[in-house]
Amino acid sequence: KQEVTQIPAALSVPEGENLVLNCSFTDSAIYNLQWFRQDPGKGLTSLLLIQSSQREQTSGRLNASLDKSSGRSTLYIAASQPGDSATYLCAVRPAAGGGADGLTFGKGTHLIIQP
Amino acid sequence: EPEVTQTPSHQVTQMGQEVILRCVPISNHLYFYWYRQILGQKVEFLVSFYNNEISEKSEIFDDQFSVERPDGSNFTLKIRSTKLEDSAMYFCASRGTFSSYNEQFFGPGTRLTVL
């Protein structure tokens, strides 16, 4: 059974710093990996999707990498801003066919950017 | 930009009552999902739906749960006899086309409170 772990569980840094959030998964047979942002009491906003054949994806100040064989992904946030404060979730989609594409989520990293 | 919508935003019900949570997926999407998030816990996959039938369900999705696409736009989750432990945020998601690379887009969620 796939397990997704995110470290650290919480992180507080001053504005302007670059930071890295970590995600690991136990079963490397994945189709893709998605990073989401969740604001308190709100839904999930998709940030980046990395296909299993890719090594990284970039969107603005965000860069996500994937090392499928070692079961790890990182989300790099450059020049952090107070508006980046949120919980960041990592989720993997299994490689199995037959319509099995439910995502397995980590518990998230709660990020606070201090002004 | 197209988005997934969900109604109601908050539902309060008595234990043992039936509830129906409603979702309008993104209009050209073909794959539909329900997830739930108990307060303070991970987002968990419940069920996926394609071509008017369930394609995958988790062990959480027992006989108390059912899904339906009653028309061309709505996608519903019914809980027949709610329990206290069904209290959670329920998220609907949708994905487009046959491409397995497409990301899942999430709605804002319905907070279900069972008293």
Side-chain angles (χ1 to χ4, degrees):
Chain A
K1 181 185 172 186
Q2 180 74 270
E3 295 286 341
V4 178
T5 303
Q6 292 187 244
I7 294 172
L11 183 63
S12 180
V13 300
E15 179 178 4
E17 283 202 5
N18 302 324
L19 53 100
V20 175
L21 309 182
N22 296 290
C23 171
S24 62
F25 45 95
T26 54
D27 185 350
S28 62
I30 65 168
Y31 225 107
N32 59 41
L33 182 146
Q34 263 182 277
W35 281 94
F36 294 88
R37 169 186 172 135
Q38 184 175 30
D39 292 285
K42 304 291 187 182
L44 309 178
T45 301
S46 180
L47 298 173
L48 288 164
L49 179 145
I50 309 180
Q51 300 163 16
S52 61
S53 58
Q54 295 178 319
R55 297 286 290 182
E56 65 178 76
Q57 278 283 2
T58 298
S59 175
R61 294 182 294 108
L62 305 179
N63 175 276
S65 68
L66 174 64
D67 184 343
K68 197 178 88 156
S69 60
S70 68
R72 289 188 292 191
S73 176
T74 61
L75 179 67
Y76 175 83
I77 302 176
S80 57
Q81 303 170 358
D84 294 331
S85 298
T87 297
Y88 290 80
L89 303 177
C90 164
V92 296
R93 178 183 161 184
D101 61 349
L103 300 179
T104 300
F105 282 81
K107 203 169 180 183
T109 293
H110 181 55
L111 177 64
I112 296 174
I113 308 298
Q114 306 153 10
Chain B
E1 186 175 330
E3 58 183 17
V4 177
T5 60
Q6 292 185 241
T7 55
S9 57
H10 191 191
Q11 173 95 44
V12 180
T13 190
Q14 295 290 327
M15 189 170 55
Q17 295 296 304
E18 174 184 287
V19 295
I20 298 176
L21 310 183
R22 291 182 167 80
C23 168
V24 178
I26 294 172
S27 63
N28 61 347
H29 283 185
L30 300 176
Y31 298 82
F32 313 113
Y33 310 85
W34 284 102
Y35 294 81
R36 79 172 186 190
Q37 185 178 33
I38 295 171
L39 188 64
Q41 298 188 23
K42 294 183 178 184
V43 176
E44 301 171 290
F45 167 73
L46 293 178
V47 66
S48 59
F49 191 86
Y50 169 70
N51 199 25
N52 281 321
E53 61 183 27
I54 291 173
S55 48
E56 184 192 10
K57 59 183 180 180
S58 72
E59 56 194 23
I60 302 169
F61 193 88
D62 61 22
D63 292 344
Q64 292 298 314
F65 292 90
S66 62
V67 289
E68 190 178 33
R69 188 157 162 81
D71 54 42
S73 60
N74 290 285
F75 179 52
T76 62
L77 174 69
K78 181 192 290 186
I79 309 175
R80 288 191 183 81
S81 178
T82 50
K83 307 182 187 70
L84 295 176
E85 55 265 36
D86 292 328
S87 294
M89 183 76 95
Y90 288 81
F91 294 108
C92 173
S94 68
R95 174 170 76 82
T97 79
F98 290 97
S99 168
S100 57
Y101 295 154
N102 281 6
E103 61 198 287
Q104 293 184 23
F105 292 91
F106 282 68
T110 292
R111 180 168 298 283
L112 177 64
T113 302
V114 182
L115 303 176

